[in-house]
Amino acid sequence: MRDSGTGRRPPHSGTGGPSPQAVADAFDATRLTQARHLAALTKKEVAEHLGVSPAAVGQYESGVTRPRPDLIPRLAEVLSVPMAFFLSGRPHGKLDGSMAHFRSLRSTRAYQRAKAVAFVEQVWELTYALEKRVQLPPVDLPGFAGGEMHSDLPRDPAGAARALRAHWGLGTGPIGHLVRRMESHGIVVAFPRHDPDAVTVDAFSTSSLPRPIVVLTPNRFDDIYRHRFTAAHELGHLVLHGDTAAGDPQQEREADAFAAEFLTPRDSILPQLPLRADLRRLAELRLTWGCRSTRCSTGAGRRGCSPTPPPAGPTSGSPRCATSRASPTSRSPAIRVSSRCCWRRRSSWPAGRAG
């Protein structure tokens, strides 16, 4: 690494990295904030480790003052980063937390959201570095341009899902390899390592960086159906809510509705539903479409897709699997709507459909 002002390499410590003095001279205050969020520590906790006041840490992060050279090694140790992490000169993908859509916003604490946002910033920086050496697919998301989203797709979730299917040439049948398809259209999909905080965060996405980013947390990995529905849910946020601040529960309902229509288009799935409860047929549909039978059979009653509930009618079988039609000639299913995609282990997913 070279000093951006002189073009010369900064002094190094005996271990081969930059010296504490060199890091202190070129200290990037925003890197300290990012590292602290990644470590899920408060300013007070960092201050206690360093033997300084919380106000001093706040001044380091605001750029008012710089930490003394003798504090740099301890700071790096406390935050579990190399000393070179604090050097200025690298591009920083600064992300406003209000523009990141969290799958479980209500159960996510502020420090967990800050940690997730810092992780996404790191994902973008890695992507930026990779693009200098590897040609990644161009972003093909209608209305996306350099971190801004002005989609011309329909605003209703089902209409947007059908329009995106058409734009990507997916037809009206089952979608195989969903995550791979998202990546092939320029969306970065990241899978963080296991972290207790990530389980609470669940999943999140943003279109406010130069590339759209979706993060799928490890608690979604052991169930291919849940994994697929979550990926489609976050895709719905990118398409529908890229130009609006996150946090509205209605947005979560709309993203669910988008995911349901994107994975199982209503006009395609309704003709395949059995006229009466048939668990074997529903299991076949689940394997074909990659979605839980109750989700695949929601039709007009999908949450967020229809202003009125499905018509009343006789049902049979268990409440979770009731799929009888109101009449033999009616195509309106009298069913109970599931709010989640199916849970099933990856080992049961047929070849060619995973992910």
Side-chain angles (χ1 to χ4, degrees), residues 221-280:
F221 292 176
D222 66 344
D223 189 303
I224 187 61
Y225 302 126
R226 190 182 187 205
H227 171 78
R228 281 167 56 84
F229 189 79
T230 299
H233 175 101
E234 296 304 325
L235 179 60
H237 277 312
L238 296 179
V239 171
L240 297 169
H241 310 130
D243 56 350
T244 57
D248 184 356
Q250 177 62 22
Q251 294 179 355
E252 295 303 310
R253 291 189 286 270
E254 291 175 351
D256 272 350
F258 174 96
E261 181 68 17
F262 190 75
L263 291 175
T264 55
R266 179 179 182 274
D267 291 343
S268 297
I269 194 68
L270 279 183
Q272 300 183 30
L273 297 178
L275 293 175
R276 57 175 58 87
D278 185 339
L279 297 183
R280 179 177 298 179

Side-chain angles (χ1 to χ4, degrees), residues 100-185:
H101 295 272
F102 290 89
R103 188 80 165 92
S104 301
L105 181 62
R106 292 184 178 181
S107 62
T108 304
R109 299 174 62 182
Y111 85 90
Q112 294 170 326
R113 293 194 296 271
K115 183 176 182 178
V117 167
F119 175 79
V120 170
E121 292 174 347
Q122 291 272 283
V123 169
W124 178 81
E125 291 174 34
L126 175 60
T127 303
Y128 177 85
L130 286 174
E131 286 197 277
K132 291 185 175 181
R133 297 167 175 80
V134 179
Q135 184 176 357
L136 300 182
V139 178
D140 181 22
L141 198 62
F144 179 86
E148 294 184 354
M149 192 71 182
H150 304 285
S151 178
D152 55 358
L153 296 180
R155 297 302 296 180
D156 69 287
R162 291 190 294 268
L164 185 62
R165 266 182 167 262
H167 181 78
W168 284 0
L170 299 178
T172 59
I175 299 175
H177 302 292
L178 176 59
V179 169
R180 186 182 303 174
R181 289 184 182 275
M182 292 168 61
E183 292 176 327
S184 70
H185 291 280

Side-chain angles (χ1 to χ4, degrees), residues 27 31-42 45-46 49-50 57 61 72-82 85-86:
F27 191 81
R31 292 297 175 186
L32 173 55
T33 303
Q34 187 182 61
R36 181 173 63 80
H37 286 164
L38 286 170
L41 295 177
T42 64
E45 290 169 331
V46 174
H49 284 291
L50 297 181
V57 175
E61 292 192 5
I72 297 297
R74 180 58 178 159
L75 189 60
E77 180 183 1
V78 168
L79 299 178
S80 300
V81 295
F85 183 88
F86 301 114

